Amino acid sequence: MSTPAPGSVMRGAVDLSSLRNRPQPPAAPAAGAPAAPAPAGGASPLVFDVTDASFGEVLELSRTVPVVIDLWAEWCGPCKQLSPVLEKVVIELGGRLVLAKVDVDANPQLAQGFRAQSIPMVLALVAGQPVPLFTGAVPEQQVRDVFAQLLQLAAQHGVTGTVPVDGVTDDVAPEEPPLPPLHAEAFAAIEEGDYARAITAYEKALAENPRDADARAGLGQVRLLDRVQGADLQAARDAAAAEPTGLDAQFLVADLDVVGGHVDDAFGRLLDLFQALSADDRAPVRERLLELFGLVGDDDARVIRARARLASLLF
């Protein structure tokens, strides 16, 4: 599997420089195992709150085990839908991931450092480097798929530790019903980095049930990952600069920007391309924009702005 590494296409998605060197509270890790901060509400050592002051500890933890960051607020309805899903999936992974919850109202420095334009916003830290994941409340299966990709990416960078979960009782993580066969096939293919097989499985699932929202979300994400697999960001940017109205060249850079968290840049590039083309040539650009809108989330402020500009160009 060839997945963009943290600090390459994802560089610049989050600015942690102002927080990286903050004083850390003293930690007392268990011998031979990474230690997570105190659990949120005492429920699980895998789920904990993080503050502006304790963020340095979380950065260090990310060098041993991937840390998922959940940016939320008490007033945010979608946050309350998504957070239990994140907690459930993290706990089921048995210590291979941990979940750090950031209340953006109580921790403005972290909110600013993570450039939280809308919430819920979920990203990860791998070896101290930020990895954008998604914004908005997404289906549970999409969370599972994204976390599977995150674990692969972490393994490629030597981050394969686990956090002890002795305190987690069986009733915290109830057994999940088996996935539908085509979803299970897609999930297995994603874990193996075989995006083409995952795409085929999701397409079959949608053919059987066009209302399968999890399959539709999974298909969009896997198609995006398949398009950027093995791509070189600088080479892609050079090709796009040399061919300002070339669809393939511009599409690839936009895809890489979305994967890297530069969503506004991706939308701006495609909208500029749409504006530059004749009416007869615009359809593929509009289709790609609509596909990316769906991936980012219809309620995301960046999508709303881009939709407004697209509408102004259409009429």
Side-chain angles (χ1 to χ4, degrees), residues 158-216:
V159 180
T160 57
T162 59
V163 169
V165 291
D166 294 341
V168 180
T169 59
D170 290 340
D171 60 354
V172 173
E175 184 178 351
E176 279 292 293
L179 290 172
L182 289 171
H183 286 247
E185 181 180 344
F187 187 77
I190 291 169
E191 287 190 318
E192 296 169 9
D194 189 348
Y195 297 141
R197 182 159 62 93
I199 289 170
T200 299
Y202 278 134
E203 287 176 339
K204 288 180 179 178
L206 282 170
E208 292 181 2
N209 178 13
R211 296 185 178 182
D212 188 338
D214 288 345
R216 189 170 301 281

Side-chain angles (χ1 to χ4, degrees), residues 69-72 76-83 85-86 116-123 133-140 142-143 146-147 217 263 293-303:
I69 307 290
D70 174 21
L71 292 135
W72 68 283
C76 171
C79 299
K80 295 178 180 179
Q81 298 173 19
L82 178 65
S83 288
V85 174
L86 297 177
Q117 297 182 9
S118 63
I119 56 172
M121 173 181 172
V122 180
L123 65 151
L133 299 181
F134 52 83
T135 58
V138 303
E140 181 176 321
Q142 186 174 345
V143 173
V146 171
F147 284 3
V263 175
F293 290 167
L295 284 175
V296 176
D298 290 336
D299 295 333
D300 190 282
R302 296 163 295 185
V303 172

Side-chain angles (χ1 to χ4, degrees), residues 81-104:
Q81 298 173 19
L82 178 65
S83 288
V85 174
L86 297 177
E87 294 175 17
K88 175 183 177 183
V89 177
V90 165
I91 289 171
E92 288 176 359
L93 287 169
R96 297 170 67 197
L97 294 174
V98 296
L99 177 64
K101 299 172 67 64
V102 178
D103 182 340
V104 296

Side-chain angles (χ1 to χ4, degrees), residues 4-12 129-131 157:
S8 57
V9 301
M10 297 173 184
R11 182 178 291 117
Q129 294 294 326
V131 183
H157 290 80

